[in-house]
Amino acid sequence: MKQFERSFEHLLFSSRWLMAPVYLGLVLAMVVLLVKFAKEVLYLLSHILTASGAEMIIGVLSLVDIALIMNLLIIIMFSGYENFVSKMEDLHNHQDRPDWMGHIGFADLKIKLIGSIVAISGIELLKGFMNVGNLDDRELAWMIGIHVTFIFSGLLYAVMDRLQRGGGDGH
């Protein structure tokens, strides 16, 4: 029976590698976002003389939105892989290794995720305000409601996380 238990535990431990293709999929999602980013830049450049200021601002906000999502994907890939699959031992002394890499735990990852979602939602809301003539009151109300929900959820999670950690000075 002890041999079965050890084998089962080894199988469970090895199953973490099932997440590796998921992280590879996130890399592919970044490639898709990079293509979308390039398309948006080309559009902005081709309309630089004819677009209104509001259209340019919305275009730039779209670029910022894509950049935030890509940054979020990097954080999720690096910290998720290191927390749940395997340590990136060979990269510990790499000159370009981000300082936060290897130090973000699951709770920190969730806080960063919620913060990024709030930022992305805020950018979408700002784009909506810049394009308010094309939105009805109901659409705008939904955008505001969703954004406020994200903010409230983020604040609530941060408070719960702080209470769980004992409200120490290090956070």
Side-chain angles (χ1 to χ4, degrees):
M1 191 56 141
K2 192 67 172 169
Q3 177 62 31
F4 173 77
E5 181 180 354
R6 266 186 263 165
S7 296
F8 181 71
E9 288 170 355
H10 190 273
L11 174 68
L12 286 178
F13 185 70
S14 297
S15 71
R16 72 192 192 282
W17 284 100
L18 294 173
M19 286 297 298
V22 172
Y23 295 117
L24 181 60
L26 292 178
V27 171
L28 296 175
M30 286 183 61
V31 171
V32 170
L33 287 170
L34 183 60
V35 170
K36 176 74 174 154
F37 187 90
K39 181 180 170 186
E40 187 70 29
V41 168
L42 290 174
Y43 177 82
L44 286 174
L45 290 174
S46 68
H47 291 83
I48 197 165
L49 298 176
T50 58
S52 69
E55 290 171 331
M56 280 292 156
I57 291 171
I58 290 172
V60 170
L61 287 173
S62 294
L63 296 177
V64 170
D65 201 15
I66 293 169
L68 283 173
I69 293 170
M70 290 179 79
N71 288 338
L72 179 61
L73 287 175
I74 287 174
I75 292 171
I76 290 170
M77 287 184 310
F78 286 0
S79 62
Y81 184 84
E82 281 212 335
N83 281 313
F84 300 113
V85 179
S86 181
K87 299 289 181 207
M88 296 183 190
E89 297 291 333
D90 295 340
L91 301 176
H92 279 294
N93 295 322
H94 194 281
Q95 65 183 7
D96 290 332
R97 181 183 166 94
D99 290 336
W100 55 264
M101 202 171 147
H103 302 290
I104 293 182
F106 190 60
D108 299 321
L109 178 61
K110 288 191 283 186
I111 290 288
K112 289 188 182 307
L113 175 66
I114 291 169
S116 295
I117 289 171
V118 168
I120 291 165
S121 171
I123 288 172
E124 289 300 316
L125 185 58
L126 183 56
K127 285 167 44 178
F129 285 149
M130 296 294 298
N131 200 18
V132 75
N134 295 332
L135 296 174
D136 62 33
D137 292 345
R138 183 182 169 105
E139 290 172 315
L140 203 53
W142 271 107
M143 290 175 76
I144 292 169
I146 290 168
H147 183 66
V148 168
T149 301
F150 285 146
I151 290 172
F152 183 71
S153 298
L155 288 173
L156 220 62
Y157 182 78
V159 168
M160 289 186 309
D161 185 57
R162 187 172 185 99
L163 289 173
Q164 179 188 9
R165 293 181 186 210
D169 294 334
H171 302 289

